[in-house]
Amino acid sequence: MRFDFTDLRLFLHVTQTGSITRGAERAHLALASASARIRGMEDLLGVPLLKRGRRGVEPTDAGRSLLDHARIVLQQIETMRGDLGAYSRGLKGRVRILANTSALSEHLPALLADFLAANPTVDIDLEDRESPAIGAAIAAGDADIGIGSQAALVPGLESHPFRTDRLVLAVPAGHPLAGKRQTGFAELLDLDFVGLPRGTALDEHLAMQAARLGRALRLRVRVNSLDTVCSMVAAGVGVGIVPEATALRCRRALPLATLRLAETWSMRELALYVRDSRRLPKPARRLFEALRAAGEPSATSATGGARRQRPEERPGSPPANTR
């Protein structure tokens, strides 16, 4: 069988995105070329690898088998590149990170900027996901490092404390709620909200919490960043739920007030997820160690070692504060 690395990476991207078009974009291939490569693999094997439908594609049983092998082969290639690169011009390779909205927007930018400046031969692929999806992707080998809620940890993964993350309500300085210290989420559902784009982890998390109350958020506008949410809130467009670190930073320059939410899901302990830190490719292991060292001292375990989820911490369904 004559599959090359481009074929395997393309197939991995297609299954991750559920779309040949988006998979082709990630693989930097034209759609026609990507489709031809997928058909070529199916012709060579004599079986369909993808189920095609109106909502996208998903792997067949044969496709899932190929996907397992593709992950192993590509991970071994990255490990080899990292090991050999360490002997020449330093570390070489690409590290794939999945993080929830708070970690991606507030906690990671400065840390990743410092790491990339110190490691010019390492590239980073960073994507926004909900915490439960992050854990599942790390367990499946779809990414090297995950950062999400400790409560959403998938059994068997190695985890390390990273940051404490609280969601708060941001309101304009003159808003009737501005004088309160805390509010319940249910009390807010008749207000206009400023939100993030559909599909972002925080947007999906808040939509799910509203749905549990039999309601939906009244979104007046969606914007592309947490800072823009705060700017629109300060301008009186609506209210917004953002990480406390974002609200406090923006409050220095904007007429904002913040309230804590009464719900337990508003307080999250963020953790680093990996399958096995000892088996990460060298570039990923270097970044993992940098992120672990940057974790809040108050969140670090007494031993400083890896932690795996205990059986009593594995509920049948994710708790409310897992995004």
Side-chain angles (χ1 to χ4, degrees):
M1 294 184 185
R2 297 180 181 178
F3 294 166
D4 59 26
F5 296 139
T6 301
D7 291 333
L8 297 181
R9 287 194 180 92
L10 170 64
F11 192 71
L12 186 62
H13 290 319
V14 168
T15 54
Q16 285 173 346
T17 61
S19 165
I20 296 177
T21 300
R22 291 197 296 272
E25 290 173 354
R26 283 193 179 183
H28 306 293
L29 294 172
L31 177 58
S33 175
S35 297
R37 283 180 175 272
I38 296 292
R39 285 196 303 270
M41 287 191 286
E42 291 178 323
D43 291 344
L44 184 60
L45 288 170
V47 294
L49 297 173
L50 297 172
K51 297 176 184 176
R52 295 161 173 83
R54 289 183 299 175
R55 295 186 176 181
V57 297
E58 61 180 80
T60 62
D61 289 343
R64 281 189 286 270
S65 179
L66 174 61
L67 188 59
D68 290 339
H69 290 290
R71 286 171 178 148
I72 293 169
V73 170
L74 294 174
Q75 186 177 43
Q76 287 177 335
I77 292 298
E78 285 299 310
T79 301
M80 180 186 71
R81 290 176 60 191
D83 288 345
L84 296 179
Y87 290 105
S88 55
R89 292 174 293 175
L91 296 173
K92 288 184 178 181
R94 177 176 294 274
V95 184
R96 179 163 165 75
I97 305 176
L98 305 178
N100 70 0
T101 304
S102 296
L104 187 150
S105 300
E106 199 60 39
H107 301 293
L108 285 178
L111 295 176
L112 295 184
D114 289 344
F115 177 84
L116 289 169
N119 297 272
T121 58
V122 179
D123 296 329
I124 292 176
D125 183 0
L126 183 60
E127 186 176 331
D128 186 330
R129 295 270 189 97
E130 286 191 275
S131 294
I134 293 170
I138 296 298
D142 286 341
D144 301 298
I145 300 170
I147 303 176
S149 169
Q150 175 71 44
L153 182 64
V154 171
L157 291 184
E158 180 183 325
S159 75
H160 299 260
F162 181 59
R163 296 287 168 88
T164 298
D165 181 65
R166 183 193 296 273
L167 293 175
V168 298
L169 178 72
V171 299
H175 195 276
L177 290 174
K180 297 182 66 175
R181 296 183 60 187
Q182 181 172 288
T183 184
F185 184 60
E187 301 171 30
L188 309 176
L189 297 180
D190 289 327
L191 301 178
D192 290 329
F193 272 80
V194 179
L196 292 172
R198 288 184 178 85
T200 54
L202 182 55
D203 174 70
E204 293 187 357
H205 178 43
L206 296 177
M208 183 189 71
Q209 299 305 331
R212 285 178 170 169
L213 298 173
R215 301 287 299 278
L217 290 182
R218 289 172 45 176
L219 280 162
R220 193 171 180 200
V221 63
R222 293 181 183 271
V223 295
N224 63 1
S225 73
L226 292 168
D227 281 20
T228 308
V229 170
C230 290
S231 295
M232 297 290 272
V233 169
V237 174
V239 302
I241 293 178
V242 298
E244 187 172 42
T246 303
L248 294 178
R249 175 170 50 77
C250 291
R251 201 170 66 180
R252 298 173 195 148
L254 297 171
L256 286 175
T258 59
L259 297 79
R260 291 188 172 180
L261 298 170
E263 283 70 21
T264 57
W265 54 256
S266 68
M267 188 70 175
R268 294 94 60 85
E269 294 296 332
L270 299 183
L272 298 173
Y273 308 160
V274 291
R275 295 177 77 181
D276 186 342
S277 59
R278 296 167 300 180
R279 300 184 64 182
L280 286 171
K282 274 188 167 56
R285 189 160 67 247
R286 174 72 64 86
L287 176 56
F288 168 77
E289 293 296 344
L291 293 175
R292 188 172 69 167
E296 291 178 346
S298 61
T300 305
S301 64
T303 62
R307 182 177 183 273
R308 294 183 183 272
Q309 194 176 33
R310 296 190 297 270
E312 62 269 23
E313 296 175 324
R314 301 173 189 169
S317 59
N321 60 339
T322 60
R323 267 51 182 178

